[in-house]
Every structure is written in structure tokens, then in C-alpha cells.
Amino acid sequence: MPRPTIQVLPDPLAVARAAADVVARVIQRRPTAALALPTGRTPVPLYAELVERFRAGRIDFGRVRGFNLDEWVGVAPTDAGSYAAFMERYFYSGVNVPPANRFIPNGIALDLEEECQRYEAAIRAAGGIDLAILGIGNNGHIGFNEPGTPFSIRTHVAVVAEETRRANAYSFADGRVPERAITVGIATILDATEILLLATGPEKAEALARALDGPIDPAIPASALQRHPRVNVIADAAAAQLIARRD
Ligand code: GLP
């Protein structure tokens, strides 16, 4: 199994530019590419960079499909704390991904189980994910696949770890973070043709090192990526400070 390519850059802006280069390359090769899209603080500079390149006429999202990795259960897309609102604010309002090509799990679906299956089927119908862009949680989670999640799992309702809820309190005005989320599963992520893992800031250093250098272990969900043949890791120096190997 080829090991992940690890690129260490000075700061989050450089990470965003390098990540945008990967996205541009994938879309150039396949204009209808299906992208798995992350939320959180990490990808914000990437989305800003992609919007800027779109405005400059350097990239066209006119046939791209976007599949968000996750959404909070019980949070309506119109709620400011939803990932749907996040995507609108940081990405979709600034680019030309057709609205029909923007997929986000519905956190207020009456039947959450059915919603998970519908979402997984939509990804399958798109021909699978071409590029899965991921952040990493302080505890090594990817999407909302928290420590202990089986690697064989597909889109499901996940119980969000206490630590993760605390880290996300900033996105809810009342500080009340939902206990559950719908997330694309690890097996769905591993099915992607290519994976781009982004990490910035010192609070990610330990999780990133354990994901890349440690044993493949569900205790660190991101370590599952060692099983994928095509992973690009782009990290800033702060996040990469504990990793043993770099390219
Ligand atoms: C959140 C999201 C993840 C994200 C991670 C890191 O809980 N569900 O998809 O990658 O936590 O977030 P941040 O980039 O804000 O550190």
C-alpha cells in the first residue's frame, strides 16, 4: 500500500492554496467530479481560495457535485449553526455549483435511518466520490466518525463525542451543541478515488501524528486512511510538528 503523501507548509494560507491546487487538478481532469466536503475552521481558507479562483475565472464548478460529510441532527438547514448554512456562507454563495448538485444530509428528516440510506444512495448514484476532502478532529475523528467507530460503517447517525461537542460550541449562539449528527461513514470515505486530509494548528498535532505514524486502530478513526492507496496530507508546521515522516 503506498503511504500517504505528506506536504508540510508554513501556515494555513499556504495549506489552503496547495489544497485548492489539488481540487483544481481533480476538476480539470473530471469536470463532473464528486467532492466530499468538510466543515469546521480548517477548510474555511480553502473555500475562500476556491471562491477567489472562481471569481478570477480560473476554476469552473458548473458540473461539480458536492457531498457534505455531515450535518447535525435536529438542526434545520435554515439554522445559522447548520452545516448547510456554513456551506452557503463560505462556499456555495461564491461559486457556481448548481443548487441541484449540492448534497447535505438532512438533519431534520423524520426518519433518520432512511435519510442515511438515501444519502449513501445519492453518493452511489453519482458514481462515488472522486475527491474526499477531510479535516481531522482533536481526537482523530473524520466527518463525525468518532473513536471506536468501525471502519466498515457507511452513512449513519453518530453520537458526537463530548470533546467534539465542546470544540464546536462556537458555532451555536446559545452554546448548545446537538448530541448526534448524520455522517458519511469511514467505508464511504475509503471508497473515494482520492483523499485530501487537511490539518492546521497545534491542537491537531497529536491526532495527526497518531493517524499517520501510529497503528491502524479505530481508536484513531483517521488512521483508517493508511488503508487507502491515494491520500494527500497537507498540514501547516504547527499541526505537523509531531509527525515522524514528511515528504
Ligand atoms: C467537526 C467536523 C469534522 C471536522 C472536525 C475538525 O466536528 N464534523 O468534519 O473535520 O470537526 O474541525 P475544525 O476544522 O474546526 O478543527
Side-chain angles (χ1 to χ4, degrees), residues 39-43 69-70 83 135-137 141 143-144 164 168 170 204:
T39 51
R41 291 184 171 109
T42 310
L69 288 167
D70 42 29
Y83 285 157
I136 183 169
H141 74 242
F144 270 125
T164 306
N168 282 285
Y170 72 92
K204 300 297 170 64

Side-chain angles (χ1 to χ4, degrees), residues 3 5 18 23 51 83 124 176 203-204 207 222:
R3 303 180 70 180
T5 305
V23 175
V51 166
Y83 285 157
R124 235 184 351 259
R176 286 175 51 183
E203 60 283 356
K204 300 297 170 64

Side-chain angles (χ1 to χ4, degrees), residues 137-141 145-151 163 186 207 210-211 215-224:
N138 297 358
N139 60 4
H141 74 242
N145 295 279
E146 296 282 14
T149 306
F151 291 169
E163 178 183 3
I186 296 176
R210 290 183 67 188
I216 300 178
D217 183 342
I220 298 289
S223 68

Side-chain angles (χ1 to χ4, degrees), residues 11-220:
D11 53 49
L13 201 62
V15 169
R17 291 199 183 113
D21 288 345
V22 173
V23 175
R25 189 228 325 128
V26 168
I27 294 176
Q28 199 152 36
R29 200 171 297 163
R30 188 151 196 249
T32 60
L35 309 176
L37 299 170
T39 51
R41 291 184 171 109
T42 310
V44 168
L46 165 63
Y47 291 134
E49 176 71 20
L50 290 174
V51 166
E52 205 176 297
R53 290 187 193 195
F54 170 70
R55 288 200 182 124
R58 293 168 59 200
I59 187 165
D60 178 17
F61 296 93
R63 296 169 69 201
V64 164
R65 281 87 50 85
F67 286 91
N68 267 78
L69 288 167
D70 42 29
E71 179 61 284
W72 300 104
V73 165
V75 178
T78 46
D79 187 308
S82 70
Y83 285 157
F86 173 102
M87 290 307 291
E88 186 58 31
R89 187 177 326 132
Y90 291 109
F91 188 49
Y92 287 141
S93 58
V95 295
N96 66 334
V97 177
N101 289 5
R102 306 172 183 180
F103 298 86
I104 303 181
N106 177 10
I108 54 165
L110 287 179
D111 187 334
L112 292 172
E113 240 2 274
E114 190 182 272
E115 173 62 11
C116 292
Q117 280 169 28
R118 189 194 66 83
Y119 201 69
E120 190 72 32
I123 292 174
R124 235 184 351 259
I129 301 292
D130 295 290
L131 175 69
I133 308 168
L134 310 175
I136 183 169
N138 297 358
N139 60 4
H141 74 242
I142 46 177
F144 270 125
N145 295 279
E146 296 282 14
T149 306
F151 291 169
S152 58
I153 207 162
R154 294 199 171 267
T155 304
H156 65 286
V157 176
V159 175
V160 181
E162 266 316 307
E163 178 183 3
T164 306
R165 293 181 66 218
R166 273 197 302 276
N168 282 285
Y170 72 92
S171 48
F172 292 91
D174 60 5
R176 286 175 51 183
V177 183
E179 287 167 12
R180 294 184 301 160
I182 295 179
T183 184
V184 161
I186 296 176
T188 319
I189 291 171
L190 291 179
D191 277 349
T193 308
E194 186 175 344
I195 293 174
L196 173 60
L197 176 67
L198 306 177
T200 54
E203 60 283 356
K204 300 297 170 64
E206 199 185 321
L208 189 65
R210 290 183 67 188
L212 298 176
D213 299 329
I216 300 178
D217 183 342
I220 298 289

Side-chain angles (χ1 to χ4, degrees), residues 226-247:
Q226 294 181 38
R227 290 212 176 133
H228 192 282
R230 224 169 151 206
V231 179
N232 266 303
V233 180
I234 309 181
D236 70 357
Q241 60 186 298
L242 298 177
I243 58 184
R245 185 184 66 93
R246 50 191 69 199
D247 301 301

